[in-house]
Amino acid sequence: MTNKEFIEMLSRKTNFETSDVKELSAALISIVLSDVAEGDSVTIQGFGSFDAREKARRKIYNPTSKTYIVVPPKKTLGYKMSAALKERLNME
């Protein structure tokens, strides 16, 4: 599903204008990203939680030059699925 399809579907389900749903969607993503960037965790009930995770410094092998390269530590976005979502996905 693309972002456009998501916004159209949400607009139909909520009876809100597409432009309003687009604004709300952008605001939600902006809030989640800014809070996670500040080091906070964001939990959406029934969906999951997002947080910033730090990947440690590591060495990787470059087969072309046959040397090891040190990759510096970096932050990534972590996601943990809620129990309700996990249960729903595993229903048979």
Side-chain angles (χ1 to χ4, degrees), residues 31-51:
I31 290 168
V32 170
L33 291 177
S34 65
D35 280 6
V36 170
E38 290 175 6
D40 296 333
S41 176
V42 177
T43 301
I44 300 173
Q45 195 73 18
F47 184 71
S49 61
F50 300 91
D51 61 355

Side-chain angles (χ1 to χ4, degrees), residues 25-70:
S25 173
L28 173 69
I29 292 169
S30 174
I31 290 168
V32 170
L33 291 177
S34 65
D35 280 6
V36 170
E38 290 175 6
D40 296 333
S41 176
V42 177
T43 301
I44 300 173
Q45 195 73 18
F47 184 71
S49 61
F50 300 91
D51 61 355
R53 297 182 183 166
E54 181 136 345
K55 283 189 146 188
R57 185 183 93 127
R58 58 196 166 90
K59 287 197 318 189
I60 60 170
Y61 183 72
N62 182 345
T64 305
S65 64
K66 298 185 179 176
T67 59
Y68 283 94
I69 301 169
V70 175

